[in-house]
Amino acid sequence: MNEKDKCKLYRQAIEKWGAEAQICMVFEEMAELQKELCKALRGKENRIEIAEEIADVEIMLAQMKILFGIEEGVERYKKLKIQRLQERLER
């Protein structure tokens, strides 16, 4: 599925379930990822579960960028923060 089709699908999800429900879903998906990462820290082999939860979080975050109309702003901040990380690592 190309990016245009994904955006259309994400918009449909927001329209169907509403902004508030999708925002709550972000919280739920992030909590599930947090749970799996905690399990990994305790020594559980759960890479598949972590990959699944990261996918869920990324899908929900893409919806949030659309919902709030901040796609360009997020990209701008990502570039700045990646540059800052690179500078810190070079020190």
Side-chain angles (χ1 to χ4, degrees):
M1 182 177 287
N2 64 38
E3 285 304 310
K4 185 178 178 182
D5 290 338
K6 286 180 193 175
C7 287
K8 182 179 177 183
L9 185 66
Y10 297 154
R11 288 180 200 285
Q12 289 173 336
I14 294 165
E15 289 173 17
K16 180 170 182 166
W17 291 298
E20 187 173 315
Q22 294 309 89
I23 291 169
C24 289
M25 186 59 69
V26 173
F27 301 151
E28 182 179 324
E29 297 299 350
M30 289 190 299
E32 290 174 5
L33 174 57
Q34 180 180 1
K35 179 184 75 168
E36 292 302 330
L37 291 171
C38 287
K39 287 179 184 178
L41 285 175
R42 291 193 308 268
K44 181 175 182 184
E45 175 50 50
N46 61 342
R47 293 172 49 156
I48 292 170
E49 291 85 353
I50 291 170
E52 179 180 358
E53 297 307 334
I54 288 173
D56 288 341
V57 169
E58 287 183 353
I59 289 166
M60 294 310 302
L61 291 176
Q63 289 183 48
M64 294 301 100
K65 289 189 279 186
I66 291 168
L67 177 64
F68 291 99
I70 56 172
E71 297 98 330
E72 290 178 11
V74 170
E75 287 306 310
R76 187 169 47 251
Y77 278 112
K78 279 174 65 174
K79 286 178 184 176
L80 289 171
K81 290 176 181 280
I82 289 169
Q83 182 180 8
R84 185 175 67 189
L85 174 61
Q86 184 178 17
E87 291 167 359
R88 287 179 177 172
L89 291 171
E90 291 172 351
R91 290 182 194 161

